[in-house]
Amino acid sequence: MKRDLKAMSATDYDLVIVGGGITGASTAWDAALRGLKVALLEKDDFAHATTSGSSKLVHGGLRYLVNGEFRLVRESLRERRIWENVAPHMVHPLPFVLPTYGWGMSGPIIMGIGLALYDLLSFDRNWLSDDDKKLPGFKRISKGKALDIMPALKRENLTGAMIYYDCQMHAPERLCLECIEGAVEYGADAANYAEVTGFVTEASMKRGVKVSGVTVLDKLTGDTHTIKGRVVVNAAGPWADKTMAMVDETPARRLIRSKGIHIITRDISGSNALAIKSELGGHFFVIPWRGHTIIGTTDTVFEEDPDDLGVTERDIANFLIVVNDGLPGLNLKREDVLHFYAGLRPLVDTTPKTAEGEPAPKDSYNASRAAEVFDHGAEEAIDGLISAIGGKWTTSRHLAEQVVDLALKKLGRTAACETHCTPVYGGEIGRLKSYIERAQKKYPHLAPEIVANLVDYHGSRIGEVLATADERQGEREELLRRLAPETNVIGAQVVHAVRHEMALHLADVVFRRTGLGTLGHPGVPAITQAAELMRRELGWDETQYAREIAETVRQFDTV
């Protein structure tokens, strides 16, 4: 991928997409596959916010059954299977332990009925070519077995547990990037650090105004560009209402921003995830991930500017109280927290008014995760603008399909969606286990765990990454080495990210192109080695080099 805003400003696009998270990325991928000329613009780095700040789950949303959202659950379960098929190196089965208590709503009978319905709604879950990806139906286990799996469970009224299956992503930020890379491969143009600052409008022949493009600030150079498009898609996630306000000061749709924090600890859950309910703060997950455990998430209304999101020490302390209430035997302390991160869920605000006509208090926990495709031309006389609002990571592909369907209708064209059956960039691997074994034999000069890590992050494009080591004379030996003894990330991944994946800052590589920093601070040697490789590629002087390291390291601290 090459970033060239000047060339983009000289191009007429069918679709201009504002936002480089998974919704924008999926929309670009879908539209490019259908033959549209697409531009994707992101004000920060791709996947920098909600997309990378998730629980890493691709799931049906078992708890949504309680709210009667059967359509959303069915959609999610179908999309879960599709992601397993098109991104086999990224999406994997994950068993969940759901403890049962007493004989009421949290007991085995009610839970069993709910899980039976969950399995029924996922009737197609094993329509997969890779047997390792297939998901068994739920089963009940005894109290003793439940305690063997997680001794820290509350024991009072414990009657056993249910085991059911969902999926998780190895690296959501990489999967998002692969959707963008797939779009670029089919002719799309993309740019990060390209902030949309306004809309270009003209009088509509029908009524109101017609959006015909966007103004863009290049955050690297300070230059301003105009990018023209026949249809503009607002896929700005937590910034979607702010983006709408650029063309209408009183946007027709409002968002509830829900802050969710996660903490990462040593491995405390083995191979099983747990869904735990706390009397103090709703439910949370305990999720095995890359030899560690993710615990999350919180769900609180966030009223501040989305650019100011961060994790505070109070956030961590309050969440540990909730976790220790739900799993009293853990007794987690602050020093057990190796890393933390936060994300904002952009939820469609359907808050009703009180009897006095005032808005009721916002409730992010019980708000629907359903998405909305809003046609501003149909409802606001702002033609040429579509907003994709709300939704879940799991259903982002389907949301994008609906957006592109509407865009094609506006453009007077037809083309069938293909993202449900087209592998993502790097997804052409067949059975994952066999592919890794073949790759390890093909590259015997690399440690098996390095090859496995390369497949995890790059899938079938592993050869392109390793070829980076041979692009310039004398680099091979250095670029095939680990950045530090404790990591499986090699120098070629860093250089490849700069040359071919639009990595412009050290944090892009550390947090979003590799997994170097996503489990916590990887150590000074790894950080400085990655920075040194990027300095040589991008020509940083000593001041910029020091600034990049300082800004990256600061992201491991609370705010």
Side-chain angles (χ1 to χ4, degrees), residues 153-223:
L153 288 172
K154 280 185 178 178
R155 301 192 177 212
E156 184 179 358
N157 294 324
L158 181 67
T159 52
M162 300 293 186
I163 295 182
Y164 72 98
Y165 284 78
D166 262 315
C167 291
Q168 76 174 161
M169 292 173 278
H170 185 81
E173 61 282 350
R174 281 290 324 179
L175 183 48
C176 176
L177 183 69
E178 288 174 352
C179 291
I180 296 172
E181 289 180 302
V184 170
E185 189 172 46
Y186 280 86
D189 296 317
N192 53 359
Y193 299 102
E195 182 175 3
V196 171
T197 56
F199 290 94
V200 178
T201 60
E202 56 193 45
S204 173
M205 295 183 64
K206 300 176 182 177
R207 60 190 178 98
V209 298
K210 169 80 167 69
V211 172
S212 57
V214 294
T215 54
V216 183
L217 171 66
D218 186 338
K219 295 174 74 172
L220 299 184
T221 66
D223 296 334

Side-chain angles (χ1 to χ4, degrees), residues 278-352:
S278 165
E279 299 302 323
L280 300 178
H283 81 285
F284 61 88
F285 293 125
V286 180
I287 306 166
W289 190 60
R290 294 172 52 204
H292 292 68
T293 293
I294 297 174
I295 306 177
T297 173
T298 60
D299 198 332
T300 55
V301 174
F302 187 77
E303 301 279 12
E304 301 167 46
D305 191 307
D307 286 316
D308 296 333
L309 179 68
V311 179
T312 67
E313 287 295 331
R314 181 179 291 275
D315 287 334
I316 295 174
N318 289 342
F319 189 42
L320 287 175
I321 292 172
V322 171
V323 173
N324 286 326
D325 174 70
L327 290 169
L330 280 184
N331 193 29
L332 285 179
K333 298 180 174 58
R334 177 63 179 87
E335 55 265 31
D336 294 313
V337 179
L338 305 177
H339 189 43
F340 46 81
Y341 60 92
L344 285 178
R345 305 174 192 87
L347 309 175
V348 180
D349 188 356
T350 56
T351 304

Side-chain angles (χ1 to χ4, degrees), residues 64-136:
Y64 308 148
L65 290 177
V66 178
N67 299 333
E69 295 186 276
F70 300 110
R71 180 175 295 180
L72 175 60
V73 174
R74 170 58 197 149
E75 176 193 17
S76 302
L77 291 169
R78 182 192 66 237
E79 293 301 305
R80 182 187 68 183
R81 172 183 56 81
I82 290 173
W83 281 119
E84 281 191 278
N85 264 327
V86 302
H89 59 305
M90 277 286 168
V91 181
H92 312 292
L94 180 65
F96 276 81
V97 176
L98 181 63
T100 58
Y101 290 91
W103 298 94
M105 291 299 293
S106 298
I109 295 176
I110 299 298
M111 291 292 187
I113 292 172
L115 287 168
L117 179 57
Y118 199 63
D119 280 352
L120 180 63
L121 290 170
S122 62
F123 62 89
D124 56 351
R125 65 185 179 274
N126 291 327
W127 295 0
L128 301 161
S129 57
D130 185 346
D131 288 343
D132 295 336
K133 301 285 186 182
K134 294 182 177 179
L135 307 180

Side-chain angles (χ1 to χ4, degrees), residues 465-498:
V465 178
L466 292 174
T468 306
D470 297 319
E471 286 178 352
R472 295 178 188 170
Q473 190 172 3
E475 288 186 328
R476 179 177 175 80
E477 184 177 346
E478 178 186 17
L479 296 188
L480 295 183
R481 288 200 299 263
R482 303 173 196 259
L483 295 183
E486 301 78 17
T487 180
N488 290 322
V489 179
I490 60 175
Q493 290 173 269
V494 177
V495 174
H496 182 81
V498 174

Side-chain angles (χ1 to χ4, degrees), residues 1-5 8 184 189-191 498-500 502:
M1 299 194 299
K2 298 297 181 184
R3 181 182 185 276
D4 192 340
L5 283 168
M8 292 174 71
V184 170
D189 296 317
V498 174
R499 294 179 188 171
H500 305 291
M502 223 177 286

